[in-house]
Amino acid sequence: MSDSDLIVLRNVAKAYRRGEETISIFADLNLTIPSGDFVAMMGPSGSGKTTLLNLLGGLDRPTSGTILFDGAPIEKLSENKLSAWRAANIGFIFQFYNLMPTMSAARNVELPLLLTPLSTADRKRRVKTALEIVGLENRAGHKPKELSGGQQQRVAIARAIVSDPKLILADEPTGDLDRTTAVEILEMLQLLNRELGKTIVMVTHDPAAAKYARRELHLDKGTFEERHT
Amino acid sequence: MSDFRLILAGLGRKPLRTSLLIFAVFIAFLIYGVLAAFQSSLENAAGPSSSNRLVVANRINFTQPLPFAYVSRIQNVEGVTDVSYSNWFGGYYQEPRNFLLTFAIDPESYTRIYSEYVMPDDQRQAFIANRDSIMVGRSVAEQYGWQVGQQIPLSSNVWRRRDGTSVWPVVIRAIYDGKDANTSTGSVFVHYEYLDEGRAFGNDTVGIIQIVTADAAQNDAVAARVDTQFANSRAETETLSEQAFNAAFIDQQGNIGLIILGVTGAAFVTILLIVGNAMAGAIRERTGEIAVMKTLGFTSGRIARIVVGETLLLSLFGGLLGLVLANLLTNTLSGIPALNQFFGAMRITPQIALSAVGFMAALGFITGAVPAFNAMRVNVITAFRRI
Ligand SMILES: Nc1ncnc2c1ncn2[C@@H]1O[C@H](COP(=O)(O)OP(=O)(O)OP(=O)(O)O)[C@@H](O)[C@H]1O
Ligand SMILES: [Mg+2]
């Protein structure tokens, strides 16, 4: 393991218990994602892509094995420590945007900053910058339902980057968008990766979308198969 | 402070629902405020009370008389530091419907014991010195436009004079105020001697005898001594603390306390169910949003605090509005002289306001508890599977 490795999975297993039987999603997963990488995660439905993303984001814990983030294992952190760790290190982007319907775009973007000790003025400044990066500075006061799907996803991206996390996890971020809008979003992710150095793990079903990443990982039957783009 | 905005955002999600819930809480506290003010004014109407004062009445019933001789015998009972007495007069002014809450008293000792009735000293002296004097409360004086020095015909629907008439000419020599706003100023006092010398029957009896003890701790012992002294005599006595006597007096007017408890209790339970249920529903609708917040790094504890903050804010806002309106309403009602005479100064006392705020807080916490617990239990992974 080198210093530049952001994420290292060692012998990670994940199983769900459903009644009497235990369903193993993967039994021995090993993976290294260096800092600054942009990974497209592909694979058939039910192969465990979302499950893996949840593990990387500290939303779920592995059944066994360890997940190192910046060299430190995260699976043993307490619930509250994990929350603080997520707030500091991870930006999430969802397929259905998941914005707060009653809040304006700016308030939505500000949400993760409420977990930091930043002053109101600092928060305002950061929100403005994040909205500028996604090109929505003139929509700051709009509520989600007053925005198109693509715009909503851009607000979600602004929310994911506003606290300057190292890792961005995106689960089918273009799954609900048309081709042109999807391209906009993918180009934006590419920009975040190339210009701002964000490490990105993106789950997608779309081979065309995967081309925007630096590499593709195929998850199937509990193992990875790697393809470079 | 940043959480306060999230609390507002939560409540602002469905403005109509939030308004209706606030309205429900508002009504509950309006009812509570008015009824509680009403009850406390009734307690005042029964007369002031002090913890080291006792009331001696006839054991049969407080409307039965006691021999006047009891007054001096009670004076000699161990632990008694002061004594006064009074007799129901049943007064009215000009016509029976102008009813006056009138008592015949021993002016010197009565005004000494009831220091909550305050008046200029020269008025007090003039009232004591002249047998045909009356002392009237401020609200009665204002109702009839009476002034000090004015002569009025005071009629009694109980006491006939020896000459066969029922009109007792009197001169207003003192107008008293209450020591504080809780003291009712709705009574009229005449001299006991004036009544007793003039009345055609019932002479040498008094209605009740007031005792002052050295301190409240001696009340029970003194009461027992008095009642033992008159046991097996012509008129047996029952000695109670002034509070107990007043409470018994109020009970005669129907058990207002129980009615208030019943009405506000029912209102509160209803509001509790409505708000609790609505909030539980609101949180259920927000499962997805809560899951997102948890994903972003909000802890379950913080989310629970926000949810309880919502119900607290809701009940404080609605409750305080209700209390403010109750205050306006009671001020208006007690400003009507005919009502004030009986209900004293009907108003929201600091104690009522304080207990109301306590109830608001309790309502907020109780209605927030279940939704907050449900919010804490939202599981991010399964929540997103449902979205
Ligand atoms: N909480 C859970 N309890 C039981 N089984 C679960 C749970 N979460 C996931 N699974 C199962 O784990 C497997 C992997 O699910 P996952 O959502 O990770 O797949 P995916 O690759 O993201 O699929 P898709 O492409 O459809 O989103 C599925 O069979 C799913 O039913
Ligand atoms: Mg998935």
Side-chain angles (χ1 to χ4, degrees), chain B residues 246-265:
Chain B
N246 286 346
F249 182 75
I250 290 168
D251 272 347
Q252 294 253 323
Q253 312 179 15
N255 201 333
I256 304 293
L258 206 65
I259 294 169
I260 289 173
L261 196 72
V263 173
T264 49

mmCIF file of all heavy atoms in Angstrom, chain B residues 246-265:
data_model
loop_
_atom_site.group_PDB
_atom_site.id
_atom_site.type_symbol
_atom_site.label_atom_id
_atom_site.label_comp_id
_atom_site.label_asym_id
_atom_site.label_seq_id
_atom_site.Cartn_x
_atom_site.Cartn_y
_atom_site.Cartn_z
ATOM 1 N N ASN B 246 -62.258 28.709 52.681
ATOM 2 C CA ASN B 246 -62.558 29.283 51.371
ATOM 3 C C ASN B 246 -62.824 28.195 50.343
ATOM 4 O O ASN B 246 -63.708 28.325 49.495
ATOM 5 C CB ASN B 246 -61.398 30.156 50.893
ATOM 6 C CG ASN B 246 -61.355 31.473 51.643
ATOM 7 O OD1 ASN B 246 -62.322 31.831 52.322
ATOM 8 N ND2 ASN B 246 -60.247 32.174 51.542
ATOM 9 N N ALA B 247 -62.054 27.130 50.426
ATOM 10 C CA ALA B 247 -62.244 26.022 49.480
ATOM 11 C C ALA B 247 -63.640 25.427 49.666
ATOM 12 O O ALA B 247 -64.339 25.133 48.694
ATOM 13 C CB ALA B 247 -61.181 24.955 49.688
ATOM 14 N N ALA B 248 -64.045 25.300 50.933
ATOM 15 C CA ALA B 248 -65.378 24.769 51.210
ATOM 16 C C ALA B 248 -66.444 25.714 50.671
ATOM 17 O O ALA B 248 -67.455 25.290 50.121
ATOM 18 C CB ALA B 248 -65.561 24.569 52.708
ATOM 19 N N PHE B 249 -66.164 27.019 50.796
ATOM 20 C CA PHE B 249 -67.091 28.033 50.301
ATOM 21 C C PHE B 249 -67.256 27.907 48.787
ATOM 22 O O PHE B 249 -68.353 27.955 48.254
ATOM 23 C CB PHE B 249 -66.535 29.414 50.676
ATOM 24 C CG PHE B 249 -67.418 30.562 50.278
ATOM 25 C CD1 PHE B 249 -68.571 30.848 50.999
ATOM 26 C CD2 PHE B 249 -67.088 31.362 49.188
ATOM 27 C CE1 PHE B 249 -69.373 31.912 50.638
ATOM 28 C CE2 PHE B 249 -67.892 32.422 48.821
ATOM 29 C CZ PHE B 249 -69.042 32.703 49.550
ATOM 30 N N ILE B 250 -66.112 27.684 48.097
ATOM 31 C CA ILE B 250 -66.163 27.534 46.641
ATOM 32 C C ILE B 250 -66.895 26.252 46.265
ATOM 33 O O ILE B 250 -67.674 26.216 45.319
ATOM 34 C CB ILE B 250 -64.744 27.542 46.046
ATOM 35 C CG1 ILE B 250 -64.169 28.948 46.169
ATOM 36 C CG2 ILE B 250 -64.738 27.108 44.594
ATOM 37 C CD1 ILE B 250 -62.700 29.022 45.889
ATOM 38 N N ASP B 251 -66.657 25.195 47.035
ATOM 39 C CA ASP B 251 -67.324 23.934 46.742
ATOM 40 C C ASP B 251 -68.836 24.096 46.723
ATOM 41 O O ASP B 251 -69.537 23.415 45.980
ATOM 42 C CB ASP B 251 -66.941 22.884 47.789
ATOM 43 C CG ASP B 251 -65.672 22.153 47.375
ATOM 44 O OD1 ASP B 251 -65.282 22.313 46.199
ATOM 45 O OD2 ASP B 251 -65.093 21.449 48.205
ATOM 46 N N GLN B 252 -69.321 25.024 47.564
ATOM 47 C CA GLN B 252 -70.757 25.273 47.597
ATOM 48 C C GLN B 252 -71.247 25.802 46.248
ATOM 49 O O GLN B 252 -72.398 25.666 45.902
ATOM 50 C CB GLN B 252 -71.068 26.316 48.674
ATOM 51 C CG GLN B 252 -70.791 25.829 50.062
ATOM 52 C CD GLN B 252 -72.054 25.532 50.816
ATOM 53 O OE1 GLN B 252 -73.044 26.233 50.663
ATOM 54 N NE2 GLN B 252 -72.059 24.472 51.589
ATOM 55 N N GLN B 253 -70.342 26.432 45.525
ATOM 56 C CA GLN B 253 -70.737 27.017 44.241
ATOM 57 C C GLN B 253 -70.495 26.034 43.102
ATOM 58 O O GLN B 253 -70.384 26.419 41.953
ATOM 59 C CB GLN B 253 -69.940 28.285 43.966
ATOM 60 C CG GLN B 253 -69.925 29.216 45.141
ATOM 61 C CD GLN B 253 -69.117 30.465 44.875
ATOM 62 O OE1 GLN B 253 -68.793 30.758 43.738
ATOM 63 N NE2 GLN B 253 -68.807 31.189 45.914
ATOM 64 N N GLY B 254 -70.409 24.781 43.420
ATOM 65 C CA GLY B 254 -70.138 23.784 42.386
ATOM 66 C C GLY B 254 -68.645 23.582 42.322
ATOM 67 O O GLY B 254 -67.867 24.498 42.589
ATOM 68 N N ASN B 255 -68.235 22.385 41.993
ATOM 69 C CA ASN B 255 -66.808 22.127 42.044
ATOM 70 C C ASN B 255 -66.109 22.593 40.776
ATOM 71 O O ASN B 255 -65.886 21.852 39.830
ATOM 72 C CB ASN B 255 -66.545 20.649 42.280
ATOM 73 C CG ASN B 255 -65.159 20.456 42.826
ATOM 74 O OD1 ASN B 255 -64.278 21.279 42.574
ATOM 75 N ND2 ASN B 255 -64.966 19.398 43.566
ATOM 76 N N ILE B 256 -65.790 23.899 40.793
ATOM 77 C CA ILE B 256 -65.202 24.525 39.620
ATOM 78 C C ILE B 256 -63.863 23.877 39.264
ATOM 79 O O ILE B 256 -63.560 23.631 38.106
ATOM 80 C CB ILE B 256 -64.974 26.032 39.881
ATOM 81 C CG1 ILE B 256 -66.289 26.704 40.278
ATOM 82 C CG2 ILE B 256 -64.374 26.704 38.657
ATOM 83 C CD1 ILE B 256 -67.314 26.750 39.198
ATOM 84 N N GLY B 257 -63.086 23.587 40.303
ATOM 85 C CA GLY B 257 -61.768 22.997 40.054
ATOM 86 C C GLY B 257 -61.859 21.726 39.240
ATOM 87 O O GLY B 257 -61.117 21.519 38.285
ATOM 88 N N LEU B 258 -62.828 20.890 39.602
ATOM 89 C CA LEU B 258 -62.987 19.617 38.917
ATOM 90 C C LEU B 258 -63.429 19.833 37.467
ATOM 91 O O LEU B 258 -62.968 19.153 36.555
ATOM 92 C CB LEU B 258 -64.018 18.765 39.663
ATOM 93 C CG LEU B 258 -63.859 17.269 39.485
ATOM 94 C CD1 LEU B 258 -62.548 16.813 40.100
ATOM 95 C CD2 LEU B 258 -65.035 16.541 40.118
ATOM 96 N N ILE B 259 -64.323 20.815 37.284
ATOM 97 C CA ILE B 259 -64.799 21.112 35.931
ATOM 98 C C ILE B 259 -63.631 21.567 35.061
ATOM 99 O O ILE B 259 -63.447 21.108 33.929
ATOM 100 C CB ILE B 259 -65.896 22.199 35.970
ATOM 101 C CG1 ILE B 259 -67.135 21.648 36.679
ATOM 102 C CG2 ILE B 259 -66.237 22.673 34.559
ATOM 103 C CD1 ILE B 259 -68.170 22.691 37.019
ATOM 104 N N ILE B 260 -62.806 22.454 35.636
ATOM 105 C CA ILE B 260 -61.666 22.968 34.885
ATOM 106 C C ILE B 260 -60.701 21.842 34.539
ATOM 107 O O ILE B 260 -60.237 21.714 33.406
ATOM 108 C CB ILE B 260 -60.951 24.079 35.685
ATOM 109 C CG1 ILE B 260 -61.846 25.307 35.701
ATOM 110 C CG2 ILE B 260 -59.580 24.407 35.101
ATOM 111 C CD1 ILE B 260 -61.361 26.421 36.570
ATOM 112 N N LEU B 261 -60.452 20.994 35.536
ATOM 113 C CA LEU B 261 -59.563 19.861 35.307
ATOM 114 C C LEU B 261 -60.113 18.985 34.182
ATOM 115 O O LEU B 261 -59.391 18.553 33.293
ATOM 116 C CB LEU B 261 -59.421 19.054 36.592
ATOM 117 C CG LEU B 261 -58.264 18.078 36.621
ATOM 118 C CD1 LEU B 261 -56.954 18.849 36.749
ATOM 119 C CD2 LEU B 261 -58.429 17.103 37.771
ATOM 120 N N GLY B 262 -61.431 18.742 34.229
ATOM 121 C CA GLY B 262 -62.061 17.885 33.227
ATOM 122 C C GLY B 262 -61.962 18.479 31.830
ATOM 123 O O GLY B 262 -61.527 17.816 30.891
ATOM 124 N N VAL B 263 -62.343 19.755 31.721
ATOM 125 C CA VAL B 263 -62.376 20.392 30.403
ATOM 126 C C VAL B 263 -60.973 20.523 29.825
ATOM 127 O O VAL B 263 -60.711 20.113 28.692
ATOM 128 C CB VAL B 263 -63.053 21.788 30.478
ATOM 129 C CG1 VAL B 263 -62.922 22.518 29.154
ATOM 130 C CG2 VAL B 263 -64.511 21.632 30.860
ATOM 131 N N THR B 264 -60.053 21.084 30.627
ATOM 132 C CA THR B 264 -58.708 21.253 30.074
ATOM 133 C C THR B 264 -58.027 19.908 29.881
ATOM 134 O O THR B 264 -57.301 19.708 28.920
ATOM 135 C CB THR B 264 -57.813 22.154 30.965
ATOM 136 O OG1 THR B 264 -57.917 21.692 32.301
ATOM 137 C CG2 THR B 264 -58.238 23.591 30.906
ATOM 138 N N GLY B 265 -58.295 18.980 30.785
ATOM 139 C CA GLY B 265 -57.718 17.646 30.640
ATOM 140 C C GLY B 265 -58.140 17.021 29.322
ATOM 141 O O GLY B 265 -57.315 16.516 28.566
#
